[in-house]
Amino acid sequence: MAEITAQLVKDLRERTGAGMMECKSALKESNGDLGEAEIVLRKRGIASAGKKSSRVTKQGLIGTYIHHGGQLGVMVEVNCESDFVARTDDFKELVHDLAMHIAAADPQFVRKEDVTPAAIEREKDIQRARVIAEGKPANVADKIVEGRMGKFYEEVCLYEQPFVKENTLTVDQLIKTKIAKLGENIGVARFARFKVGGE
Amino acid sequence: MAEITAQLVKDLRERTGAGMMECKSALKESNGDLGEAEIVLRKRGIASAGKKSSRVTKQGLIGTYIHHGGQLGVMVEVNCESDFVARTDDFKELVHDLAMHIAAADPQFVRKEDVTPAAIEREKDIQRARVIAEGKPANVADKIVEGRMGKFYEEVCLYEQPFVKENTLTVDQLIKTKIAKLGENIGVARFARFKVGGE
């Protein structure tokens, strides 16, 4: 039997808005699993589907950038460790620069590790065919494909792209200079890029 | 053999930036399939992964709304039929109101038909258990569950939610009054809602 800590009860109350005794009982039934306890409360008619966690575990800012008279929009979440850093001009500038960069450079993923296996396979397949079409010998084909995959990551991953305002830096390097300056870990959590009529 | 129309060639050129003859040849090889033709060009080393379709098939606006000092952000794409309507104050007001509504009401889907089958099943399961826990007779349980699903859609679907600024209207009705006023079909294409540290 898992221990039902005060923190767990507090988390469940924040998630569901239910009372303390109700949360304790639901957590006992779910053996301390927060998500399951929420379902238990909903089955009892206590919590509703609309309520969601309001708990903020990280600090940071959401930035937006609108271009071409509302035809292109970007929203980005950038995290840091403290509210203090999130409010500095340096951090705000970074968030703005990243939103603008995403609008211009159109990345598909945040980091290399976010590229889906399907996208990697599709690209490798294309590059293999290209190498063969170029008549390269089979024994160097794999090396060439690997090299071109590096180029692919530079094209589709935000962190690998050259920063549009200063293309001697990658976005990764830009973020690292801010980390060094502000003394906190900083990372892009996610972004969305909408174009009117686009996918 | 599919006919390679001038429109297809134009579409492929816009997508890839490749020359006319290259596009014609790729389309012949793909038997008129645009996506396949793009892959053919990439395999030949002509088009690059970074280039994407710049073709806009619909009119409209991207709107954003930032709340709580950058802790919550919403981006929404609203479509209409003409650039003229997209530039009216009425349309701009609608886009702004929808972004603000999404920030406040936190919908999970645009329309009822966008709710995933998994989310529907999960909710029905919860409501069935709740009805049983309430000791309702089995022969009315299904009816009650159906009724409560309506409430669920109201909670999670943008179009079904009561509009936050005027809760006698649903968002669907709000959009319909704008359609009547502006004389064009109007619809929400998609939205994103980011909260710092959120899912």
Side-chain angles (χ1 to χ4, degrees):
Chain A
M1 191 77 182
E3 197 201 347
I4 310 304
T5 61
Q7 184 62 48
L8 265 176
V9 174
K10 187 167 167 267
D11 287 351
L12 186 59
R13 293 193 68 184
E14 278 176 2
R15 259 189 200 222
T16 61
M20 196 175 68
M21 296 312 292
E22 294 162 337
C23 288
K24 269 192 186 168
S25 144
L27 281 162
K28 265 182 201 155
E29 192 172 322
S30 77
N31 203 20
D33 184 298
L34 208 56
E36 281 300 312
E38 194 177 340
I39 292 179
V40 168
L41 284 175
R42 297 216 43 228
K43 285 184 175 172
R44 290 183 190 162
I46 292 165
S48 84
K51 289 233 177 80
K52 286 211 318 183
S53 172
S54 64
R55 187 146 173 255
V56 171
T57 52
K58 285 174 183 170
Q59 300 299 320
L61 282 180
I62 312 289
T64 58
Y65 183 74
I66 290 281
H67 203 41
H68 295 308
Q71 298 302 294
L72 177 69
V74 168
M75 181 159 69
V76 62
E77 175 182 351
V78 188
N79 289 140
C80 56
E81 295 174 46
S82 74
D83 184 40
F84 174 77
V85 161
R87 276 178 295 171
T88 59
D89 286 343
D90 265 302
F91 191 80
K92 284 179 192 162
E93 185 192 53
L94 175 66
V95 174
H96 175 77
D97 279 349
L98 288 170
M100 220 183 53
H101 172 93
I102 293 163
D106 194 13
Q108 309 297 304
F109 305 96
V110 177
R111 294 171 182 82
K112 254 167 110 161
E113 51 267 41
D114 300 319
V115 181
T116 56
I120 294 173
E121 270 323 297
R122 188 169 159 276
E123 184 65 23
K124 278 193 177 161
D125 183 49
I126 289 171
Q127 295 305 342
R128 260 185 230 113
R130 208 183 126 192
V131 168
I132 291 161
E134 290 164 357
K136 295 283 197 310
N139 62 332
V140 296
D142 280 354
K143 270 242 155 73
I144 298 173
V145 169
E146 279 312 312
R148 288 185 184 165
M149 287 307 287
K151 181 80 190 140
F152 171 69
Y153 292 127
E154 263 175 49
E155 283 179 355
V156 299
C157 301
L158 172 62
Y159 271 63
E160 308 296 318
Q161 291 179 328
F163 176 42
V164 290
K165 274 173 73 176
E166 172 63 66
N167 63 18
T168 56
L169 281 181
T170 63
V171 168
D172 187 36
Q173 288 166 332
L174 167 74
I175 292 170
K176 279 184 179 140
T177 60
K178 289 287 184 174
I179 291 174
K181 188 166 180 189
L182 295 169
E184 275 193 12
N185 198 13
I186 293 170
V188 174
R190 51 184 165 169
F191 67 84
R193 185 180 184 277
F194 289 176
K195 196 168 177 177
V196 169
E199 293 130 50
Chain B
M1 193 76 184
E3 197 201 348
I4 310 304
T5 61
Q7 184 62 49
L8 264 176
V9 175
K10 186 166 167 268
D11 287 352
L12 185 59
R13 291 192 70 183
E14 279 176 2
R15 258 189 200 221
T16 61
M20 197 174 68
M21 296 313 291
E22 294 162 337
C23 287
K24 267 192 187 168
S25 144
L27 281 162
K28 265 182 201 155
E29 190 171 325
S30 76
N31 203 19
D33 183 300
L34 207 56
E36 281 301 312
E38 194 177 340
I39 291 179
V40 168
L41 285 175
R42 297 218 41 231
K43 285 182 176 173
R44 290 184 189 161
I46 293 165
S48 83
K51 289 231 176 81
K52 287 211 318 183
S53 170
S54 64
R55 187 147 173 254
V56 171
T57 52
K58 285 175 182 169
Q59 300 299 320
L61 282 180
I62 312 287
T64 57
Y65 183 75
I66 289 282
H67 203 41
H68 295 308
Q71 298 303 293
L72 177 69
V74 168
M75 182 159 68
V76 63
E77 175 181 352
V78 188
N79 290 140
C80 57
E81 295 172 44
S82 73
D83 184 40
F84 173 78
V85 160
R87 276 177 295 172
T88 59
D89 286 342
D90 264 301
F91 191 80
K92 285 179 192 163
E93 185 191 53
L94 175 66
V95 175
H96 175 78
D97 279 349
L98 287 171
M100 218 184 54
H101 172 94
I102 292 164
D106 193 13
Q108 309 296 304
F109 306 96
V110 177
R111 294 170 181 82
K112 252 168 110 161
E113 50 268 39
D114 301 319
V115 181
T116 57
I120 294 172
E121 270 322 298
R122 188 168 159 275
E123 183 65 22
K124 278 194 176 160
D125 182 49
I126 288 171
Q127 294 305 342
R128 261 185 229 110
R130 207 182 128 193
V131 167
I132 291 162
E134 289 164 356
K136 296 284 197 309
N139 62 333
V140 296
D142 280 354
K143 270 241 156 73
I144 298 173
V145 168
E146 279 312 311
R148 288 184 184 166
M149 287 307 287
K151 181 79 191 141
F152 171 68
Y153 292 126
E154 265 175 48
E155 284 179 353
V156 300
C157 301
L158 172 62
Y159 270 63
E160 307 296 319
Q161 291 180 328
F163 176 40
V164 290
K165 274 173 73 176
E166 172 63 68
N167 63 19
T168 57
L169 282 180
T170 63
V171 168
D172 187 37
Q173 288 165 332
L174 167 73
I175 292 170
K176 280 184 179 140
T177 61
K178 290 285 184 176
I179 292 173
K181 190 166 179 188
L182 296 168
E184 275 194 12
N185 197 15
I186 293 170
V188 174
R190 51 185 165 167
F191 67 83
R193 184 180 185 277
F194 289 177
K195 197 168 176 177
V196 170
E199 294 127 53

